[in-house]
Amino acid sequence: MAAMASKAPALLKSALDGAQPKFQTFLRYAKVELAPPTPGELGQVSQGIQRLLSGFRTGRWKQLTVKEATLNTLVFTEVVCWFFIGECIGKRSIVGYKV
Amino acid sequence: MSTAVELPAPVRVSPLIKFGRWSLLTVGILYGMSRHRSLAKKEAALREVEAKKQAELAPKLAAEKARLSKQELDDLARAAGVTVTN
């Protein structure tokens, strides 16, 4: 037990070193995919919203393929899930409000 | 270990999706914080009321408990054939 405890810092360091490349690849993707939109892209945001609304009005949504529709549903679900993650962060608990 | 397969290029996510994600995240955090605050306030008020009620009822409950336990001991003594002198 004492030998394990004495090796713990070395184990931790080697674990962190092993995780570094994985972390670097994660950062590489996160910087492009997860970053918040730059102010320059906000114009595209409003364009996208306009396109969504006009597509809904013209009835183009009735001509989507099922595959497109499922992809859109998945993306929408993922975006909505961020709201619930934010709520968990705000209430500082995973399940339920601890009052 | 560095002879890994060529990793695919990162996907360029549409700004609308990124904007939606981050705005919903912040809205969720704010909503969670505000709801937690209001619920904590309500719970604090309720806790006070209940503590007061408990303080009022405590002597009555203690007396009832003492009476029942004395009753039990007397019954046990009678069943065991022991005479109780108190």
Side-chain angles (χ1 to χ4, degrees):
Chain A
M1 194 62 203
M4 244 169 62
S6 67
K7 275 205 225 123
L11 273 177
L12 200 56
K13 185 171 185 317
S14 71
L16 283 177
D17 286 339
Q20 272 295 35
K22 296 266 174 72
F23 186 61
Q24 291 302 325
T25 44
F26 168 73
L27 269 188
R28 180 171 158 250
Y29 284 115
K31 267 192 267 221
V32 179
E33 295 186 8
L34 283 181
T38 66
E41 290 176 344
L42 286 180
Q44 295 193 28
V45 170
S46 64
Q47 277 178 12
I49 299 182
Q50 289 302 325
R51 220 177 319 139
L52 276 177
L53 287 178
S54 69
F56 177 71
R57 242 178 287 130
T58 63
R60 202 189 83 82
W61 56 277
K62 293 184 226 165
Q63 290 150 7
L64 285 172
T65 67
V66 173
K67 180 170 179 189
E68 278 179 11
T70 32
L71 284 176
N72 290 351
T73 313
L74 281 177
V75 170
F76 177 73
T77 315
E78 189 238 337
V79 171
V80 167
C81 283
W82 282 94
F83 170 79
F84 297 112
I85 295 179
E87 191 188 352
C88 291
I89 297 179
K91 64 184 176 181
R92 293 177 213 286
S93 150
I94 303 282
V95 176
Y97 290 83
K98 310 258 194 272
V99 278
Chain B
M1 267 313 277
S2 55
T3 58
V5 202
E6 187 59 49
L7 290 167
V11 168
R12 310 212 45 136
V13 185
S14 118
L16 176 59
I17 295 181
K18 284 197 278 191
F19 175 74
R21 279 184 189 152
W22 283 90
S23 59
L24 278 182
L25 180 71
T26 39
V27 164
I29 295 181
L30 294 173
Y31 172 74
M33 279 173 48
S34 92
R35 184 132 195 265
H36 183 270
R37 209 169 298 163
S38 88
L39 286 178
K41 239 183 276 182
K42 283 198 202 147
E43 185 61 29
L46 263 179
R47 218 175 281 157
E48 263 181 60
V49 167
E50 291 222 6
K52 217 181 299 176
K53 221 186 294 182
Q54 189 70 8
E56 282 178 26
L57 283 179
K60 263 186 266 177
L61 286 172
E64 184 68 20
K65 195 168 171 191
R67 183 183 75 83
L68 281 173
S69 70
K70 179 169 193 311
Q71 179 83 16
E72 261 186 47
L73 287 174
D74 285 343
D75 289 343
L76 267 175
R78 207 172 318 129
V82 174
T83 48
V84 175
T85 55
N86 62 337

